[in-house]
C-alpha cells in the first residue's frame, strides 16, 4: 500500500486567498477542497489512494518527473520526460485582482455583478504543453465529494464538458457499494448545498457514471498546448487565449507582491542566494494561506497527515490558532507586509475583545467556534495512518497561554498604529484580571495533550507575559488599573516558575512543575519573551541541555522528551528548531545559530516547502503540509539573524529600516 502514496515532500501547493490544492510530482492533484479551504474535500487521494479521489495527468509510459515553481510565484510546473518526448504541466489557481477584467461586457455564464476574477476564484487550471517529441498522457478525473462520503454523479453537458455533481444522501440511505458510512441527520459538516465541478478541456473524456470517473489518453506533441479548466459551481468556459492571459496575470500578481516585500524588507532578502530562495518561498507560502475575506491564516491547508506513520496523532489543521498570532504578526512585519499584518491583527483583535472565559484556543477561518471533532472511518489514511479527523476537539480545551498571546499581540502592534483604544484597554484589563484568578490552574499546554493535565511552565510563562505587558501598557499610556494586584500576581507567577519550573538536576527548565525528567523546547522562549535575560545562567543551561538532549546531529529539535504524554516523538518539530536559533542569537552565540539555521534549510523540500515535523532518522516529512508555523518560524529566525548582522548590541532593540523589531522585546528593556 505504501507504494500508492507519494512522500509528503513530493507535493507542491497551489492556491488563492481561500483555497489550496496539493499537486504531486506524479501529476496527480490528491488534495483539494471547495468552495473554501476548510470545506469538505473533492479530491482526497492523499488520505485514501483508492477511494479518496484525484485529478491526474501523467504519461502512460515510464517517465522521470521534476517540479518547480515559476520563478517567484505560486504557479507550479511539473515536467515529465519519457523516451518519446517531454511535456510540462502547469498548475495554478487565479488570484482575485490579478489582472484587469477585459471582458466586462460579456455576461454569458456569469452571475449578475460578478467579475471574471471573482468567478475564477473557484477554479483550478492545468496547462499541458509539449516541449519535445510526443508524449501520450493518461487523464483521470475522479472527484469524490464530501470527503468521499457523498455519491458523485458524472455526466456531459450540452457543450461536451464533464460535470460532476454531489448527490444528497439522507440519513440511513445505502451507499452505492455498501461500504461507506451513513451520514447522521445532524452531521454539521454535511450541512451545505451539494457541490458541482465543471471540467472544460476540449478533450473527449470517457465518463463512467457508476464509478464517477472520467478517463482517456491524449497525445501532446512538441509546441502543442492543451488546457483543463476545473470550475466549482457554475461553468465558466472561456477561449484558450483568456486562459493564457489569466496565467500571465497570476504570475505578475505574485511577483508584484514579492517585489513589494523586498522593497519594504530589504535586509531580510539580502542574504546569499540559498537563504534568499527559501525565505522567498516561505513568504509566498504565508501569503498563499492568508484568507482574503477575514485575514485569518490556517496552520496548514490539510487534515490528518500523520505525526507518525501508522500512528493515531492525526489532526485537522485548517483553523487559526490564537497562539500562532504573535509569531505570525512578527513574520508579516518581517517580510514588509504591514497591510497583511494589520488585517490579521484586526481579526485577532476582535477575538481578543471577547469575554476572557469565552475565548477559544483556535477558531475557524470565518470565526467559527463550533469545531466539533468527527472521524472519517471510511478513509484508510495516509500510508494507513488513522483515524482521519475533521474538526478539532482542542477548541474546547483550557489553554492558559492564549491570554498572554493576546495581550502581547496588542501591546506590540499598537505602537505601529494610532495608539491604544479604549476597547483595547478594556480587553487587556479583563484579560489581566482573568489571569490573576486562573494562572495557578492546570491546563493542556501549547501541545494540546489530551491525556496530560499539568502546571505547564510555558503556560505560566504566558500568564506572566499577560500581566507584565498589561502593567507596561498602563504605565506607557497612562491608564488606570489595579496595578498593585497585577504586580503582586506577576511576582507570584515569576516565583512559581523559577522555584518549581527549573530543575538543578536537569540543569534546565522542565515541561511542568515538579517534572523530574520531562524537557520541553518551549523553555527556549523564556529569553525571547524577556522573562529572563539571555545571559542568565539558567537560560544558558537550558539551551545547552536542549542542544544535548532534544537536538539531533543535523539540527532537528524535538518538542519534548521523557514526558508522561509521550517519551519521544519520531521527528523534530521545525518551529522548535527555529526557537533554538532565536535563543542562540539572543545569547550572542551567532556561529551556532548560523550553523543550525543552515542545517534547517537543508530539510526543506526541493520546492522549498516544510511540513510540521521532520523524521529524525530518514528525513521524511511528517504532519500537515505545508505548515504555516514552520515557514513563519523560518522567517522570524532569519529576522533575528538579519538583526545580528547589523549590530554588535545583542539583543537588538530595533532592526534596520523596514524590518519589524523582534515582537517579544519589551520597550525600554
Amino acid at each position: 500500500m505504501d507504494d500508492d502514496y507519494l512522500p509528503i515532500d513530493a507535493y507542491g501547493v497551489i492556491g488563492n486567498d481561500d483555497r489550496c490544492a496539493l499537486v504531486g510530482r506524479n501529476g496527480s492533484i490528491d488534495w483539494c477542497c471547495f468552495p473554501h479551504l476548510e470545506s469538505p474535500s473533492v479530491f482526497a487521494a492523499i488520505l485514501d489512494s483508492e477511494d479518496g479521489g484525484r485529478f491526474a495527468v501523467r504519461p502512460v509510459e515510464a517517465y522521470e518527473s521534476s517540479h518547480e515553481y515559476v520563478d517567484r510565484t505560486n504557479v507550479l510546473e511539473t515536467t515529465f520526460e519519457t523516451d518519446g518526448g517531454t511535456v510540462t504541466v502547469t498548475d495554478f489557481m487565479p488570484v482575485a485582482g490579478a489582472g484587469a477584467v477585459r471582458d466586462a461586457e460579456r455576461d454569458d455564464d456569469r452571475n449578475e455583478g460578478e467579475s471574471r476574477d471573482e468567478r475564477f476564484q473557484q477554479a483550478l487550471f492545468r496547462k499541458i504543453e509539449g516541449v519535445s517529441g510526443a508524449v501520450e498522457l493518461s487523464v483521470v478525473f475522479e472527484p469524490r465529494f464530501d470527503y468521499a462520503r457523498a455519491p458523485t454523479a458524472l455526466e456531459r453537458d450540452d457543450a461536451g464538458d464533464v460535470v460532476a455533481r454531489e448527490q444528497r444522501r439522507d440519513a440511513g440511505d445505502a451507499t452505492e457499494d455498501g461500504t461507506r458510512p451513513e451520514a447522521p441527520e445532524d452531521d454539521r459538516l454535511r450541512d451545505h448545498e451539494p457541490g458541482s465541478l465543471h471540467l472544460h478541456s476540449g478533450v473527449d473524456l470517457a465518463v463512467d457514471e457508476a464509478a464517477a470517473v472520467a478517463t482517456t489518453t491524449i497525445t501532446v506533441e512538441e509546441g502543442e498546448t492543451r488546457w483543463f479548466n476545473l470550475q466549482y459551481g457554475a461553468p465558466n468556459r472561456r477561449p484558450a487565449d483568456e486562459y493564457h492571459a489569466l496565467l500571465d496575470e497570476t504570475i505578475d500578481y505574485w511577483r508584484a507582491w514579492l517585489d513589494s516585500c523586498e522593497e519594504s524588507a530589504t535586509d531580510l532578502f539580502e542574504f546569499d542566494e540559498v537563504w534568499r530562495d527559501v525565505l522567498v518561498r516561505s513568504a509566498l507560502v504565508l501569503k498563499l494561506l492568508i484568507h482574503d475575506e477575514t485575514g485569518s491564516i490556517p496552520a496548514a491547508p490539510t487534515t490528518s497527515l500523520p505525526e507518525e506513520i501508522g500512528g493515531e496523532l492525526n489532526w485537522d489543521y485548517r483553523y487559526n490558532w490564537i497562539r500562532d498570532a504573535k509569531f505570525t504578526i512578527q513574520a508579516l512585519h518581517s517580510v514588509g507586509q504591514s497591510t497583511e499584518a494589520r488585517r490579521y491583527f484586526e481579526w485577532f483583535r476582535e477575538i481578543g475583545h471577547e469575554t476572557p472565559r469565552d475565548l477559544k484556543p483556535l477558531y475557524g477561518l470565518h470565526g467559527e467556534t463550533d469545531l466539533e471533532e468527527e472521524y472519517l472511518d471510511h478513509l484508510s489514511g495516509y500510508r494507513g495512518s488513522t483515524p482521519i479527523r475533521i474538526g478539532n476537539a482542542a477548541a474546547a480545551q483550557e489553554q492558559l497561554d492564549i491570554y498572554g498571546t493576546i495581550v502581547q499581540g496588542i501591546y506590540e502592534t499598537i505602537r505601529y498604529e494610532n495608539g491604544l483604544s479604549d476597547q483595547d484597554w478594556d480587553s487587556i484589563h479583563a484579560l489581566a484580571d482573568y489571569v490573576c484568578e486562573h494562572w495557578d490552574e492546570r491546563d493542556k499546554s501549547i501541545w494540546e495533550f489530551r491525556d496530560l493535565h499539568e502546571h505547564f511552565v510555558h503556560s505560566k510563562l504566558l500568564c506572566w507575559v499577560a500581566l507584565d505587558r498589561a502593567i507596561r501598557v498602563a504605565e506607557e499610556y497612562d491608564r488606570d488599573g489595579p496595578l498593585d494586584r497585577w504586580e503582586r500576581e506577576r511576582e507570584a507567577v515569576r516565583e512559581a516558575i523559577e522555584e518549581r519550573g527549573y530543575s538543578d538536576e536537569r540543569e534546565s527548565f522542565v515541561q511542568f512543575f515538579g517534572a523530574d525528567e520531562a524537557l520541553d523546547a518551549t523553555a527556549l522562549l523564556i529569553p525571547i519573551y524577556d522573562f529572563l535575560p539571555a545571559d542568565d545562567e539558567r537560560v544558558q543551561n537550558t539551551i545547552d541541555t536542549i542542544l544535548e538532549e532534544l537536538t539531533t546531529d543535523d539540527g532537528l529539535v524535538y518538542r519534548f522528551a521523557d514526558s508522561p504524554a509521550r517519551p519521544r516523538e519520531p521527528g523534530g518539530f521545525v518551529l522548535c528548531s527555529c526557537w533554538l536559533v532565536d535563543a542562540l542569537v539572543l545569547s550572542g552565540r551567532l556561529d551556532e545559530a548560523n550553523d543550525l539555521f543552515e542545517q534547517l534549510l537543508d530539510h526543506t523540500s526541493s520546492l522549498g516547502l516544510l511540513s510540521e515535523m521532520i523524521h529524525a532518522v530518514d528525513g521524511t516529512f511528517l504532519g500537515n503540509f505545508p505548515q504555516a508555523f514552520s515557514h513563519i518560524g523560518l522567517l522570524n529566525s532569519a529576522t533575528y539573524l538579519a538583526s545580528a548582522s547589523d549590530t554588535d548590541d545583542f539583543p537588538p532593540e530595533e532592526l534596520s529600516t523596514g524590518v519589524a523589531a523582534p515582537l517579544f522585546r519589551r520597550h525600554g528593556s
Side-chain angles (χ1 to χ4, degrees):
M1 182 178 65
D2 283 1
D3 291 341
D4 297 332
Y5 292 89
L6 291 176
I8 293 173
D9 65 354
Y11 285 96
V13 63
I14 60 172
N16 63 20
D17 300 329
D18 189 21
R19 282 149 293 278
C20 286
L22 295 189
V23 185
R25 199 161 49 221
N26 62 355
S28 182
I29 297 175
D30 288 347
W31 178 255
C32 184
C33 301
F34 278 115
H36 305 293
L37 181 146
E38 72 275 29
S39 297
S41 64
V42 297
F43 304 122
I46 198 170
L47 296 179
D48 190 317
S49 63
E50 183 174 349
D51 294 326
R54 60 170 50 85
F55 181 13
V57 178
R58 53 186 172 229
V60 173
E61 61 181 294
Y63 63 85
E64 292 185 359
S65 65
S66 62
H67 56 189
E68 62 181 357
Y69 283 104
V70 174
D71 188 41
R72 299 162 61 79
T73 76
N74 282 313
V75 176
L76 185 65
E77 291 183 338
T78 305
T79 299
F80 298 98
E81 296 184 15
T82 71
D83 290 342
T86 301
V87 66
T88 295
V89 179
T90 301
D91 290 297
F92 70 100
M93 289 182 173
V95 183
V101 180
R102 296 188 300 268
D103 58 350
E105 71 277 5
R106 295 184 60 178
D107 60 1
D108 52 308
D109 290 334
R110 181 185 298 137
N111 295 332
E112 183 178 356
E114 190 172 40
S115 73
R116 184 188 68 179
D117 280 358
E118 291 169 337
R119 285 290 304 282
F120 278 143
Q121 282 294 93
Q122 298 287 345
L124 185 156
F125 288 84
R126 315 198 75 178
K127 175 188 175 185
I128 295 89
E129 187 173 16
V131 177
S132 65
V135 179
E136 186 179 8
L137 297 172
S138 167
V139 180
V140 177
F141 176 59
E142 186 182 18
R144 294 282 187 262
F145 286 99
D146 193 23
Y147 306 107
R149 291 185 295 188
T152 301
L154 259 63
E155 62 184 11
R156 291 189 177 280
D157 65 11
D158 294 340
D161 294 346
V162 176
V163 182
R165 301 188 190 280
E166 176 182 1
Q167 304 297 295
R168 175 66 73 191
R169 186 174 74 244
D170 295 330
D173 286 355
T175 59
E176 294 176 9
D177 59 9
T179 62
R180 291 179 185 152
E182 297 178 353
E185 293 181 0
D186 61 349
D187 185 347
R188 172 180 53 85
L189 293 177
R190 293 293 306 280
D191 187 19
H192 63 273
E193 290 298 318
S196 63
L197 289 168
H198 298 255
L199 181 61
H200 174 59
S201 65
V203 175
D204 188 16
L205 295 172
V207 175
D208 180 349
E209 294 184 15
V213 176
T215 63
T216 193
T217 59
I218 58 174
T219 299
V220 179
E221 300 182 350
E222 180 178 347
E224 185 179 6
T225 298
R226 301 286 189 97
W227 282 93
F228 289 95
N229 167 13
L230 181 63
Q231 182 80 38
Y232 182 82
N236 195 15
R237 292 179 289 271
R238 292 290 182 266
D241 61 342
E242 288 200 35
Y243 298 159
H244 284 285
L246 197 60
L247 172 58
D248 290 341
E249 291 165 2
T250 302
I251 290 171
D252 290 345
Y253 171 86
W254 290 117
R255 289 175 174 170
W257 180 84
L258 196 56
D259 286 344
S260 70
C261 291
E262 294 174 334
E263 290 171 3
S264 301
T266 305
D267 290 358
L268 190 64
F269 293 104
E270 283 189 346
F271 288 110
D272 63 53
E273 185 176 352
V274 175
W275 287 32
R276 185 173 63 251
D277 289 347
V278 175
L279 296 176
V280 163
R281 180 53 48 198
S282 291
L284 286 167
V285 169
L286 187 54
K287 175 62 175 174
L288 181 69
L289 293 176
I290 294 175
H291 191 293
D292 188 61
E293 180 183 342
T294 64
S296 59
I297 303 176
T302 57
T303 181
S304 299
L305 294 182
E307 294 180 7
E308 183 172 9
I309 301 301
E312 298 180 355
L313 303 179
N314 317 313
W315 317 109
D316 193 345
Y317 271 20
R318 296 172 297 163
Y319 307 111
N320 197 141
W321 269 255
I322 287 292
R323 76 168 60 92
D324 295 3
K326 53 191 178 290
F327 300 103
T328 303
I329 292 171
Q330 182 184 17
L332 289 169
H333 276 298
S334 295
V335 298
Q337 289 306 306
S338 57
T339 299
E340 281 86 349
R342 187 177 302 111
R343 291 191 67 239
Y344 183 77
F345 175 68
E346 288 303 323
W347 176 86
F348 165 77
R349 170 190 261 164
E350 287 302 311
I351 289 173
H353 291 160
E354 296 178 12
T355 303
R357 67 174 176 273
D358 294 334
L359 290 171
K360 307 294 184 184
L362 61 144
Y363 290 80
L365 302 183
H366 296 83
E368 303 93 335
T369 58
D370 180 15
L371 306 180
E372 182 180 352
E373 199 166 277
E374 183 179 356
Y375 288 50
L376 302 180
D377 294 331
H378 62 291
L379 295 177
S380 61
Y382 178 78
R383 299 185 184 274
S385 305
T386 58
I388 306 301
R389 294 179 172 93
I390 53 176
N392 199 306
Q397 288 184 350
E398 174 70 10
Q399 296 177 21
L400 293 171
D401 61 328
I402 65 174
Y403 310 109
T405 293
I406 295 172
V407 176
Q408 176 73 42
I410 295 174
Y411 171 70
E412 285 292 343
T413 308
I414 55 178
R415 63 173 164 166
Y416 299 110
E417 309 220 348
N418 298 321
L420 179 71
S421 71
D422 290 342
Q423 192 174 22
D424 285 335
W425 175 244
D426 290 343
S427 296
I428 291 173
H429 194 304
L431 289 164
D433 286 343
Y434 187 86
V435 167
C436 286
E437 296 168 1
H438 297 278
W439 72 262
D440 60 348
E441 297 174 358
R442 290 178 169 85
D443 75 338
K444 292 296 187 180
S445 93
I446 185 175
W447 306 130
E448 300 179 342
F449 296 125
R450 300 194 176 189
D451 52 358
L452 188 61
H453 197 64
E454 287 288 354
H455 292 286
F456 290 97
V457 172
H458 175 264
S459 298
K460 308 307 182 191
L461 172 65
L462 268 294
C463 288
W464 179 89
V465 168
L467 296 170
D468 181 76
R469 276 42 165 189
I471 292 167
R472 288 186 168 268
V473 170
E475 293 172 344
E476 292 170 17
Y477 292 90
D478 194 25
R479 296 286 182 152
D480 292 329
L483 297 192
D484 288 344
R485 183 193 185 198
W486 293 352
E487 290 172 351
R488 185 170 61 252
E489 294 298 326
R490 178 181 65 176
E491 185 58 28
V493 179
R494 172 180 285 282
E495 290 179 2
I497 293 173
E498 293 184 343
E499 294 177 6
R500 302 171 62 191
Y502 184 82
S503 169
D504 290 323
E505 182 178 349
R506 294 290 272 157
E507 292 189 301
S508 177
F509 285 95
V510 291
Q511 187 175 64
F512 54 85
F513 288 173
D516 294 327
E517 298 291 333
L519 298 175
D520 198 303
T522 54
L524 294 165
L525 296 172
I526 286 174
I528 294 172
Y529 281 116
D530 208 30
F531 177 80
L532 289 173
D535 60 2
D536 185 282
E537 181 181 8
R538 292 163 294 179
V539 171
Q540 289 303 303
N541 287 344
T542 298
I543 292 174
D544 289 338
T545 298
I546 288 174
L547 279 166
E548 182 178 349
E549 299 195 34
L550 287 186
T551 307
T552 68
D553 291 341
D554 54 355
L556 298 173
V557 178
Y558 295 102
R559 284 190 291 183
F560 43 81
D562 301 321
S563 171
R566 293 189 292 281
R568 176 79 75 175
E569 295 185 300
F573 199 78
V574 174
L575 183 65
C576 295
S577 297
C578 297
W579 290 344
L580 181 53
V581 171
D582 302 345
L584 288 169
V585 171
L586 293 177
S587 302
R589 299 165 63 170
L590 299 185
D591 289 342
E592 293 173 87
N594 188 82
D595 290 345
L596 186 69
F597 189 72
E598 289 192 341
Q599 286 179 304
L600 186 57
L601 296 186
D602 289 340
H603 288 290
T604 59
S605 76
S606 62
L607 292 172
L609 301 176
L610 284 164
S611 63
E612 180 182 28
M613 300 170 66
I614 309 292
H615 196 281
V617 176
D618 59 24
T620 56
F621 280 20
L622 298 169
N624 286 301
F625 173 84
Q627 178 72 212
F629 227 172
S630 299
H631 289 282
I632 287 167
L634 207 64
L635 289 167
N636 288 339
S637 291
T639 298
Y640 278 101
L641 288 163
S643 70
S645 67
D646 289 337
T647 178
D648 294 329
D649 179 21
F650 298 102
E653 282 305 308
E654 300 287 341
L655 300 182
S656 56
T657 303
V659 185
L663 184 64
F664 313 130
R665 303 301 303 170
R666 301 182 301 170
H667 301 318
S669 59

